[in-house]
Amino acid sequence: MKNILVAGLVASASLFTATAHAEDRISAVHAFPETLIYTKSFLSFVDKVNEAGKGVVQIDVRGGPEAIGMFQQPDAVRDGIVDMVYTPGSFYGGALPEKDAMVGSNLTAVETRQNGGTELIDQIHQEKMGLKYLGWFDSGVCYNLWTRDEPTFDADGNLEVEGLKLRGNNVYNAFFSNYLGAQVIDLPTGEVYAALQRGVVDATGWTQIGLIDLKWNEFLNYRIEPCFFSTDLGVIVNLEKWDSLSDESKKILQDVAIQHEKDSVEALRKKRDEDFAALDAAGMISVSLEGEAKANYLAAAREKTWERMKGLMAEQPGGTDNYDRLIELFYDFDAAK
């Protein structure tokens, strides 16, 4: 009887140990196709987690927009259909307008991680959407307007957009419509190549990198400076899933995310320089607004986005309580001078 009892205790202890140290597994999807530089950055993060987390935590990538539609992914992670999503905050801006603090930012994730901005964004994600905001990846890259035909300017040097078939989306429509006065055609990223090919659109906003990956440079010949905005790509995790992870798993995920925030800033700046050199060599022409027209253009990109953020925040519980703090943490007015 004693031997049976001891054997039972040993078996129970072994079962408890196995349960206590069970490997956490996290399912994930990404918004863009694997060929795009931003997705490659996310997959690099996944590889780093899976290496550091052997026996503790692993991320299983299910795919991209072919697995779950890019605009459905934020709802899918909130509802627990998938555990983790890498996506622009602008894809769920209706539920969380505070993401515009990142869109209008002139800082990188490294700086907002240090000054408390990322912590505030995480807190807002948890409160409003039941999501853990793990990290702001691939920051420090801004947007340009890219056109098929040579852009024209009025007598005051302002960009003329009349007649321009401009592709828009949630990131830049406040700026394109409310300041430039453009009529935009909303299209997801995956449909832009065909739209350019057929002449449905002849201009688009896009980040400084990735144009070659998407092959849009086959149709676009001009880059308009200055650049504006910042990417708002981040990793969000279902909060119930996050809370269920072991402390060791959480630490690995957070540590690797913070390091990737730093690494991706450096990697994508290098990629931007390489892309610009390749585009210039292939005949891409850069044109720029100057003087007051340039200053007004940049100010409008920022202020129209902040106006949108404040207006949408006012319609939600909590109102604009965090508005001033978000501007303070995500924008350096001294650096903008």
Side-chain angles (χ1 to χ4, degrees):
M1 183 70 176
K2 181 179 179 181
N3 289 339
I4 294 173
L5 179 60
V6 170
L9 289 171
V10 169
S12 298
S14 299
L15 179 61
F16 174 80
T17 301
T19 303
H21 295 284
E23 185 179 69
D24 286 317
R25 303 201 73 89
I26 298 170
S27 61
V29 294
H30 44 81
F32 300 115
E34 286 189 16
T35 54
L36 192 59
I37 182 63
Y38 299 113
T39 305
K40 292 176 183 178
S41 173
F42 171 66
L43 295 177
S44 171
F45 161 75
V46 171
D47 289 342
K48 294 172 188 175
V49 169
N50 289 348
E51 179 62 29
K54 286 180 179 178
V56 180
V57 60
Q58 296 287 287
I59 299 174
D60 302 314
V61 179
R62 292 183 181 176
E66 78 285 353
I68 300 176
M70 62 170 61
F71 298 121
Q72 285 71 53
Q73 289 179 8
D75 286 343
V77 68
R78 181 191 62 194
D79 296 340
I81 296 169
V82 66
D83 300 325
M84 172 185 286
V85 166
Y86 169 73
T87 186
S90 294
F91 284 4
Y92 53 93
L96 203 137
E98 291 87 348
K99 60 84 190 174
D100 272 336
M102 291 181 284
V103 173
S105 181
N106 63 350
L107 301 176
T108 70
V110 177
E111 294 154 316
T112 63
R113 177 69 67 178
Q114 292 172 344
N115 71 13
T118 305
E119 182 181 358
L120 178 57
I121 284 290
D122 177 27
Q123 174 190 326
I124 294 168
H125 273 77
Q126 294 192 37
E127 291 174 354
K128 285 195 169 185
M129 292 188 70
L131 297 173
K132 168 70 179 175
Y133 192 81
L134 188 62
W136 180 18
F137 291 176
D138 310 317
S139 62
V141 176
C142 53
Y143 289 75
N144 287 95
L145 264 177
W146 307 80
T147 66
R148 184 195 306 271
D149 301 319
E150 183 175 2
T152 60
F153 303 90
D154 65 21
D156 295 320
N158 298 302
L159 180 66
E160 294 182 320
V161 297
E162 187 176 355
L164 202 63
K165 291 180 285 187
L166 180 60
R167 176 255 177 168
N169 72 10
N170 291 336
V171 179
Y172 15 76
N173 280 355
F175 173 44
F176 286 177
S177 299
N178 298 348
Y179 175 69
L180 294 180
Q183 296 294 315
V184 299
I185 302 168
D186 283 344
L187 290 170
T189 305
E191 296 179 17
V192 176
Y193 182 90
L196 287 166
Q197 189 176 45
R198 297 195 308 267
V200 174
V201 296
D202 53 22
T204 184
W206 189 252
T207 60
Q208 295 172 308
I209 60 177
L211 206 76
I212 296 172
D213 296 338
L214 295 164
K215 300 183 180 180
W216 296 355
N217 57 306
E218 294 177 12
F219 310 101
L220 299 169
N221 304 308
Y222 293 86
R223 181 179 70 246
I224 299 173
E225 297 287 354
C227 67
F228 52 91
F229 291 166
S230 172
T231 50
D232 62 339
L233 291 154
V235 170
I236 48 180
V237 183
N238 178 276
L239 190 56
E240 287 187 13
K241 178 65 177 182
W242 176 260
D243 289 341
S244 75
L245 300 176
S246 70
D247 289 344
E248 189 177 4
S249 293
K250 290 177 183 176
K251 186 176 189 311
I252 290 169
L253 286 162
Q254 192 65 87
D255 287 351
V256 175
I258 290 171
Q259 184 61 48
H260 193 72
E261 287 177 336
K262 299 175 183 177
D263 294 344
S264 63
V265 169
E266 297 171 5
L268 294 194
R269 282 177 176 168
K270 180 181 178 183
K271 172 66 172 172
R272 175 197 60 197
D273 294 344
E274 292 171 351
D275 273 17
F276 274 20
L279 289 168
D280 291 348
M284 179 70 69
I285 299 170
S286 175
V287 298
S288 183
L289 289 87
E290 302 293 345
E292 187 176 352
K294 176 180 177 179
N296 291 340
Y297 181 84
L298 289 173
R302 178 180 70 244
E303 290 166 9
K304 293 301 179 184
T305 302
W306 288 349
E307 285 176 13
R308 174 178 64 188
M309 177 173 75
K310 191 171 187 177
L312 290 172
M313 286 175 67
E315 298 172 2
Q316 297 184 353
T320 58
D321 289 350
N322 288 314
Y323 177 80
D324 290 336
R325 184 68 175 149
L326 285 165
I327 302 302
E328 176 187 346
L329 295 175
F330 282 87
Y331 198 83
D332 183 346
F333 285 93
D334 291 332
K337 292 178 182 177

